Amino acid sequence: MSDRLAIRKTYKLYLGGKFPRSESGRTYLVKTAGGAPLANAAWSSRKDVRDAVAAARKAQAGWAGATPYLRGQILYRIAEMLEGRRAQFITEVKQARGGTVKAATTEVDTAIDRLVWYAGWPDKLVQVLGGANPVAGPYFNHSTPEPVGVVAVIAPQSQPLLGLVSTVIPAIVSGNTVVVVAAEDKPLPAISFGEVLATSDVPGGVVNILSGKAAELAPWLASHSDVNALDLSGVEDADLAVECEKSAAATLTRVRRPAAEDLSASPGLDRLRSLVEIKTVWHPAGV
């Protein structure tokens, strides 16, 4: 019988491509679906929010400037790395949400498949969402989609991995960068997903993962003047959602507040379309 002690994992934040602890030093207890203690997660603060937004803004121009082909290759690499750690994520998802191994396996496999699906979109968005417009006159008129900038996401609570992938990945397809608050009671799969990102050639700052209390962090993200879009998919408190919408209005932040979603359904183009702006360019013909 071995007397070796198991090495317990320390769950940290994922900011700017690194894994810091919260600057506040706070943690909170994460429990299994059955109520057993599982781990301590970092309890992010307002300062962590500012640091995450700053990292996302710093990375945004470079990520948007990368070729669509390269972004697609990097997204596919994320799927490869998640596939390689499939067994670990099945265990973490099952611990987080309870239920059967089959249900956890389905969530992880759907997340991987969704990554592959989105990996095919970066070099197709211009053709699908943009185009040449017919005009009366000697001009060329072209419309092209461009990223809105920095997107803040409150991840869905029910499916901790699939919810994260389904909200974060469509945002970065078009060149946005993201600050995401992981599912409050089930943050561990999302934090581990940061390790997948760190080994997938994703530039530091493109995705930043916070753990903590959505009621505390969401209003700060909504009111931050350097956040360009806000996805409230994981906000289940109607009063909190309204508070965030009011705060976002002061900074002209685009807000997405979807109704209850079936995350296992085909995602379609809705999220991709909602996080781009269409730029139209006129140019004299023959010049």
Side-chain angles (χ1 to χ4, degrees):
M1 181 176 179
S2 174
D3 58 356
R4 181 177 180 273
L5 294 176
I7 299 176
R8 293 191 175 276
K9 184 174 180 178
T10 301
Y11 290 88
K12 302 179 182 179
L13 309 177
Y14 182 60
L15 302 182
K18 300 179 180 180
F19 295 92
R21 292 178 172 84
S22 171
E23 63 82 30
S24 68
R26 300 180 301 174
T27 61
Y28 68 104
L29 180 63
V30 178
K31 298 181 180 180
T32 65
L38 187 58
N40 290 313
W43 185 342
S44 301
S45 68
R46 180 182 178 183
K47 175 65 163 54
D48 295 318
V49 168
R50 293 201 304 268
D51 290 345
V53 173
R57 176 57 64 191
K58 183 177 180 181
Q60 199 274 319
W63 180 243
T67 65
Y69 176 80
L70 177 59
R71 289 201 301 271
Q73 290 291 298
I74 291 174
L75 292 178
Y76 189 81
R77 176 65 174 166
I78 300 173
E80 290 179 332
M81 298 305 294
L82 186 56
E83 176 77 26
R85 298 175 66 168
R86 180 171 174 268
Q88 171 199 340
F89 277 91
I90 290 172
T91 299
E92 290 193 350
V93 168
K94 183 180 183 302
Q95 289 176 329
R97 58 177 285 183
T100 63
V101 173
K102 182 179 179 180
T105 301
T106 298
E107 178 173 345
V108 174
D109 289 347
T110 303
I112 295 169
D113 294 346
R114 187 144 303 167
L115 277 161
V116 174
W117 190 83
Y118 277 123
W121 274 104
D123 60 355
K124 300 175 181 66
L125 276 182
V126 172
Q127 290 86 346
V128 174
L129 301 184
N133 306 313
V135 294
Y139 302 99
F140 295 117
N141 183 272
H142 297 277
S143 295
T144 58
E146 293 191 343
V148 296
V150 175
V151 180
V153 176
I154 310 300
Q157 306 296 309
S158 58
Q159 298 183 42
L161 179 63
L162 181 58
L164 186 88
V165 168
S166 298
T167 51
V168 168
I169 301 305
I172 67 175
V173 163
S174 58
N176 298 300
T177 53
V178 174
V179 176
V180 57
V181 179
E184 183 175 320
D185 296 328
K186 310 177 187 71
L188 304 190
I191 299 170
S192 292
F193 189 70
E195 299 169 6
V196 172
L197 296 173
T199 54
S200 303
D201 302 323
V202 180
V206 170
V207 178
N208 304 274
I209 302 174
L210 303 172
S211 55
K213 309 295 184 180
E216 177 181 342
L217 302 177
W220 293 120
L221 284 167
S223 62
H224 199 298
S225 60
D226 209 19
V227 169
N228 303 108
L230 179 65
D231 185 339
L232 299 176
S233 295
V235 175
E236 299 175 350
D237 184 326
D239 291 336
L240 176 60
V242 170
E243 178 188 349
C244 290
E245 288 176 328
K246 290 179 178 178
S247 297
T251 56
L252 301 180
T253 298
R254 181 180 302 192
V255 178
R256 176 184 172 85
R257 186 184 171 189
E261 296 178 278
D262 179 5
L263 294 174
S264 62
S266 175
L269 297 181
D270 185 43
R271 287 187 179 275
L272 292 170
R273 187 180 289 111
S274 69
L275 294 173
V276 297
E277 296 175 337
I278 303 300
K279 181 177 75 174
T280 300
V281 177
W282 293 73
H283 193 281
V287 176

